[in-house]
């Protein structure tokens, strides 16, 4: 009896499901055949507006170098014809800054025509007239930043301490290919006099003399107080190097990508993360109390016969070249300033220098002239 009742229920359910399915099919068919029914509305696709993803400098950035290029990174590739001087602008107050604009990939760059003023607020803007390749307008962007406060008046010279007593001070050695001409004292420490080569030294108590040196020659093993004096001088040299390397917020960053040929370098703090070269002459210009500090993470290289010229009263004693790599002054070149080198310094045949060489490694001279600047 229970089995018969179950079978009847199953058959009724199946019939109900079949009837419902058929009704659904008829309704759908009726709808598709109903020519008077309202059509399904088509929703238009609105193109997504391109956006500024990032800027350099960023909004409200401070201590920006005075040679800074201004760049914008977009969310998509833009129509190059719409990235121009009317859409990408830079202002200082009500004054528009002159410059050139370039575009590549998804990045636009504004290159100011001259150095920016120090401690000054600038505003950059990209307008809605800039469009992507589909012709969709950009979401406009405006942002401001402030340049670094000038080091010209406030920057102190690097304190050389007792290291300033030597026109050449090295830790591991000083060598010459005769005949060099050195005006001022030279010294090696912690190495001894044997690492001062080809100077034909004549030894006295606490120092030595050489026909190539107008001054005295010192080494770590010489009689007191030479040894302790040199220990202090080397410590001061290391401190001076650390001071120069640690000065923050440069006026100029990666200036001319490290090629200073033909340029005029005004007072201030400069920083390069690679090598600095000078294939042709350049000028350091400023007044007698102005200070220059050049922070160089790579090498410093002056090509043959290149000359550094000082103008406006600039003094070699106030020009500091902090060089992490080697400093190489090629044949016939003339150098001005104090070299604070973490490694070696080389003056090639006939090179000359008005300044000091303070090296944490060796110094090599080849018939070179080195003169200690006036204090």
């Amino acid at each position: 009896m229970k089995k018969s009742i179950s079978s009847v229920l199953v058959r009724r359910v199946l019939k109900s499901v079949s009837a419902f399915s058929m009704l659904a099919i008829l309704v759908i068919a009726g709808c598709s055949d109903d020519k008077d029914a309202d059509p399904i509305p088509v929703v238009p696709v609105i193109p997504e507006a391109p956006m500024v993803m990032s800027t350099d400098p960023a909004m409200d950035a401070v201590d920006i170098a005075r040679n800074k290029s201004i760049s914008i990174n977009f969310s998509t590739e833009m129509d190059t014809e719409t990235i121009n001087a009317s859409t990408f602008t830079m202002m200082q107050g009500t004054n528009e800054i002159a410059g050139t604009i370039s575009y590549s990939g998804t990045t636009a760059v504004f290159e100011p025509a001259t150095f920016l003023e120090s401690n000054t607020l600038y505003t950059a803007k990209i307008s809605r007239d800039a469009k992507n390749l589909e012709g969709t307008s950009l979401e406009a962007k405006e942002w401001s930043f402030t340049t670094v406060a000038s080091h010209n008046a406030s920057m102190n010279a690097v304190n050389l301490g007792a290291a300033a007593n030597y026109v050449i001070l090295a830790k591991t050695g000083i060598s010459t290919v005769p005949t060099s001409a050195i005006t001022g004292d030279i010294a090696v420490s912690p190495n001894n006099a044997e690492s001062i080569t080809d100077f034909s030294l004549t030894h006295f108590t606490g120092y030595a003399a050489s026909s190539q040196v107008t001054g005295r020659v010192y080494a770590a093993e010489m009689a007191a107080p030479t040894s302790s004096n040199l220990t202090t001088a080397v410590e001061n040299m290391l401190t001076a190097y650390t001071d120069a390397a640690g000065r923050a917020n440069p006026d100029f960053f990666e200036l001319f990508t490290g090629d200073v040929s033909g340029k005029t370098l005004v007072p201030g703090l400069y920083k390069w993360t690679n090598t600095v070269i000078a294939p042709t002459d350049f000028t350091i210009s400023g007044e007698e109390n102005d200070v220059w500090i050049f922070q160089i993470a790579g090498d410093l290289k002056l090509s043959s016969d290149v000359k550094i010229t000082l103008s406006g009263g600039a003094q070699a004693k106030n020009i500091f070249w902090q060089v992490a790599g080697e400093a190489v002054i090629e044949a016939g070149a003339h150098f001005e300033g104090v070299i604070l080198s973490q490694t070696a310094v080389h003056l090639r045949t006939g090179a000359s220098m008005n300044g000091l060489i303070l090296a944490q490694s060796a110094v090599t001279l080849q018939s070179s002239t080195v003169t200690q600047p006036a204090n």
Side-chain angles (χ1 to χ4, degrees):
M1 181 65 179
K2 291 181 180 179
K3 182 176 180 180
S4 299
I5 292 173
S6 299
S7 299
V8 171
L9 288 173
V10 171
R11 285 196 297 270
R12 287 180 180 176
V13 171
L14 291 174
K15 285 181 180 181
S16 299
V17 171
S18 298
F20 178 79
S21 299
M22 181 60 69
L23 179 60
I25 293 171
L26 291 174
V27 170
I28 294 171
C31 289
S32 63
D33 291 338
D34 187 357
K35 296 180 180 180
D36 296 328
D38 292 334
I40 299 174
V42 177
V43 180
V45 177
I46 301 175
E48 183 178 352
M51 296 183 297
V52 173
M53 302 302 291
S54 63
T55 64
D56 185 17
M59 179 67 177
D60 297 328
V62 296
D63 293 329
I64 300 303
R66 294 174 55 198
N67 64 310
K68 179 68 175 177
S69 298
I70 315 307
S71 65
I72 307 174
N73 185 38
F74 301 103
S75 60
T76 186
E77 190 173 353
M78 303 295 286
D79 180 353
T80 57
E81 293 186 359
T82 68
I83 308 296
N84 51 51
S86 64
T87 61
F88 189 3
T89 56
M90 182 174 171
M91 306 289 293
Q92 189 273 304
T94 59
N95 299 319
E96 184 169 349
I97 305 302
T100 57
I101 297 169
S102 59
Y103 179 80
S104 177
T106 59
T107 301
V109 178
F110 181 95
E111 186 74 44
T114 59
F115 294 148
L116 304 178
E117 296 295 326
S118 62
N119 198 29
T120 301
L121 180 70
Y122 288 89
T123 300
K125 181 178 181 180
I126 186 77
S127 76
R128 283 182 51 81
D129 292 331
K131 300 177 180 180
N132 64 10
L133 297 178
E134 288 73 38
T136 306
S137 293
L138 177 77
E139 291 187 7
K141 174 80 173 181
E142 181 175 309
W143 72 103
S144 299
F145 61 91
T146 303
T147 51
V148 64
S150 175
H151 290 84
N152 292 4
S154 62
M155 187 167 65
N156 294 324
V158 177
N159 184 358
L160 302 177
N165 296 330
Y166 306 92
V167 66
I168 302 176
L169 175 62
K171 292 180 70 176
T172 63
I174 304 171
S175 67
T176 182
V177 174
T179 302
S180 291
I182 302 169
T183 302
D185 294 344
I186 69 173
V188 167
S189 179
N191 278 14
N192 58 31
E194 291 182 353
S195 61
I196 302 175
T197 58
D198 294 320
F199 279 91
S200 301
L201 297 179
T202 301
H203 289 270
F204 299 91
T205 302
Y207 70 95
S210 168
S211 61
Q212 299 178 70
V213 180
T214 303
R216 292 184 173 185
V217 180
Y218 296 97
E221 85 281 11
M222 293 178 177
T226 296
S227 180
S228 60
N229 288 346
L230 292 183
T231 297
T232 300
V234 169
E235 289 175 351
N236 292 166
M237 174 177 71
L238 299 177
T239 299
Y241 179 91
T242 301
D243 174 24
R247 300 289 180 101
N249 303 323
D251 293 287
F252 305 100
F253 182 69
E254 309 290 17
L255 185 64
F256 311 126
T257 62
D259 184 350
V260 296
S261 299
K263 310 301 182 183
T264 297
L265 305 181
V266 299
L269 178 63
Y270 295 69
K271 183 179 182 65
W272 289 277
T273 59
N274 212 319
T275 292
V276 172
I277 61 172
T280 62
D281 297 353
F282 66 96
T283 301
I284 296 177
S285 178
E287 299 180 358
E288 64 177 353
N289 293 322
D290 286 332
V291 174
W292 292 255
I293 297 179
F294 303 107
Q295 299 171 329
I296 303 172
D299 297 332
L300 170 63
K301 297 181 178 181
L302 262 67
S303 297
S304 297
D305 299 319
V306 166
K307 304 293 189 295
I308 298 177
T309 300
L310 303 186
S311 70
Q315 299 191 79
K317 69 175 184 177
N318 293 330
I319 303 168
F320 302 92
W321 302 84
Q322 175 262 312
V323 186
E326 293 187 338
V328 182
I329 316 303
E330 294 290 356
H334 177 72
F335 191 85
E336 296 276 351
V338 177
I339 298 177
L340 290 161
S341 173
Q342 194 172 41
T343 50
V345 179
H346 307 289
L347 273 66
R348 308 300 191 198
T349 304
S352 63
M353 176 172 173
N354 176 40
L356 308 179
I357 303 176
L358 307 177
Q360 296 176 38
S361 180
V363 176
T364 66
L365 310 172
Q366 296 176 2
S367 301
S368 305
T369 301
V370 183
T371 304
Q372 189 164 17
N375 291 326

